[in-house]
Amino acid sequence: MKGTKSIMGKWKVVVTDWEFESLNYEMDILEHDQIEVLPVQCKSEDEVIAYCQDADAIINQYAPISRNVIESLQHCKVIARYGVGVNTIDVTAATEKGICVTNVPDYCMDEVSDHALALLLSWTRKIPMADKETKQNQWDFKKTRPIHRLRERTLGLIGFGKIPQALAEKVKALGLNVLSYDPYFPEEEAAKHGVKLVSLEDLCRESDIVSVHAPLTESTRGLLGDQEFKLMKDHAFLINTSRGPVVDETSLIDALENNLIAGAALDVVETEPISRDHPFLTMEGVILTPHMAWYSEEAEKEMRSKVAMGVADVLLHDQYPKYLINQKVKETLRLQSNDGGGRYALLSN
């Protein structure tokens, strides 16, 4: 392995932040005589820089890994993020710096698709309302009117990656028609799943249920806004198990208050945790869960183990991580190597 080890001849791995009871799964993989793991709980760029500037690897959850942070890193080789999204990391800056960025794109497909389905059924059958009324001694199904049959309704999926594909398969038994908007997915492949690809405008017009599964990028931020909600049916409702900022929250609140759509079932919001004075908390047409769609005991173990494996791949095995996000970093590393920059290997894979 080329490069200089930071802590008394060991590779320094900083865990910037985490919300688990311990780091036992990570340590099962990274506990090695060549690695020193430093767990911290960073909130700001300055804190990340203070702990990570001499790190060889970073494991990250929510702490900001901005361009400013990345430019301060002296010899970091890999940044591994818990989860699917990498919106906390400036991937472009990391690529320019020759730093691998890795995530875990395949750990919670069942969990998130199950959660989206649970929200769909809970909202359609008005389970939260019925539960509340019944516990208040209101044994009267008429309190939940109107409820409509789900069969032959249309579900519109924004994004058609692995999770919405799993959801599409699960709703077949319910008799739903499925549309999707995904400009990057081949139409013929979607057809194999029994799903029709349409424009975002057509999806909004035709869907009775819209479920968001797009990653948060600059192009998807605020993807659903005023114009999209105006196109939707007044009985339609929105499900979001992706990222809060994909939906313009001000527009959604306005659409709900003005009855442009009937309701929303949200596992994510723009700013988390949700503020205690947020309008969603008092809206009867809104179901909220605390960003838990990804979670099961099995999924958590898989995610954390695979994050650690991505770091071990680079530091201990001198190979690109399995889930390399920024493939262009390979060219950056080749150029740095050709320039005699003394970068680590990773050039044989």
Side-chain angles (χ1 to χ4, degrees), residues 85-96:
V86 290
N87 49 290
T88 59
I89 304 166
D90 190 322
V91 177
T92 300
T95 303
E96 293 170 1

Side-chain angles (χ1 to χ4, degrees), residues 16-213:
T16 61
D17 58 312
W18 72 98
E19 57 183 0
F20 318 116
E21 291 182 359
S22 71
L23 295 175
N24 57 318
Y25 298 133
E26 294 85 342
M27 293 309 299
D28 284 346
I29 293 163
L30 295 176
E31 200 161 23
H32 192 282
D33 59 10
Q34 294 184 47
I35 289 179
E36 184 78 21
V37 178
L38 176 63
V40 291
Q41 288 286 13
C42 300
K43 301 293 184 184
S44 66
E45 287 187 9
D46 288 343
E47 289 176 328
V48 177
I49 290 170
Y51 286 108
C52 296
Q53 58 186 341
D54 62 343
D56 299 289
I58 296 171
I59 295 176
N60 168 254
Q61 189 165 26
Y62 300 123
I65 311 294
S66 62
R67 177 173 287 273
N68 188 39
V69 168
I70 288 168
E71 289 177 350
S72 77
L73 303 177
Q74 297 170 7
H75 40 76
C76 184
K77 299 161 182 58
V78 58
I79 301 170
R81 181 156 198 282
Y82 290 118
V84 179
V86 290
N87 49 290
T88 59
I89 304 166
D90 190 322
V91 177
T92 300
T95 303
E96 293 170 1
K97 188 88 170 180
I99 299 172
C100 297
V101 177
T102 181
N103 66 342
V104 190
D106 60 353
Y107 79 101
C108 61
M109 293 182 290
D110 271 329
E111 285 78 5
V112 178
S113 57
D114 285 351
H115 198 85
L117 178 57
L119 292 175
L120 186 157
L121 291 171
S122 293
W123 202 97
T124 303
R125 296 301 306 172
K126 299 190 178 178
I127 301 300
M129 179 190 294
D131 175 71
K132 177 183 175 183
E133 294 291 336
T134 303
K135 287 177 177 176
Q136 291 177 351
N137 203 29
Q138 298 293 318
W139 189 269
D140 185 357
F141 79 91
K142 293 188 291 294
K143 296 283 186 180
T144 64
R145 282 182 168 171
I147 290 177
H148 294 284
R149 182 176 292 166
L150 196 55
R151 183 169 295 276
E152 296 186 1
R153 296 261 166 168
T154 297
L155 169 64
L157 302 170
I158 296 182
F160 200 58
K162 296 295 186 183
I163 289 169
Q165 286 173 33
L167 178 57
E169 186 65 29
K170 289 170 183 177
V171 301
K172 284 181 181 178
L174 301 176
L176 286 167
N177 302 311
V178 184
L179 306 175
S180 181
Y181 165 69
D182 190 326
Y184 305 103
F185 200 86
E187 189 171 347
E188 61 275 13
E189 290 298 314
K192 293 178 182 178
H193 293 272
V195 173
K196 180 182 178 182
L197 289 184
V198 296
S199 68
L200 180 59
E201 292 78 13
D202 285 344
L203 182 142
C204 291
R205 286 190 192 97
E206 297 178 32
S207 299
D208 301 293
I209 308 141
V210 174
S211 190
V212 181
H213 300 279

Side-chain angles (χ1 to χ4, degrees), residues 231-287:
L231 292 173
M232 290 184 191
K233 301 174 181 179
D234 60 7
H235 67 259
F237 71 96
L238 176 75
I239 298 169
N240 190 1
T241 53
S242 176
R243 288 291 184 271
V246 175
V247 177
D248 185 301
E249 209 160 88
T250 301
S251 297
L252 175 56
I253 292 168
D254 182 70
L256 291 166
E257 289 179 340
N258 290 285
N259 300 314
L260 297 180
I261 65 172
L266 309 171
D267 185 56
V268 289
V269 292
E270 208 165 85
T271 301
E272 298 177 3
I274 193 168
S275 61
R276 299 320 303 167
D277 60 351
H278 198 292
F280 287 156
L281 296 175
T282 56
M283 289 181 167
E284 288 190 2
V286 175
I287 298 173

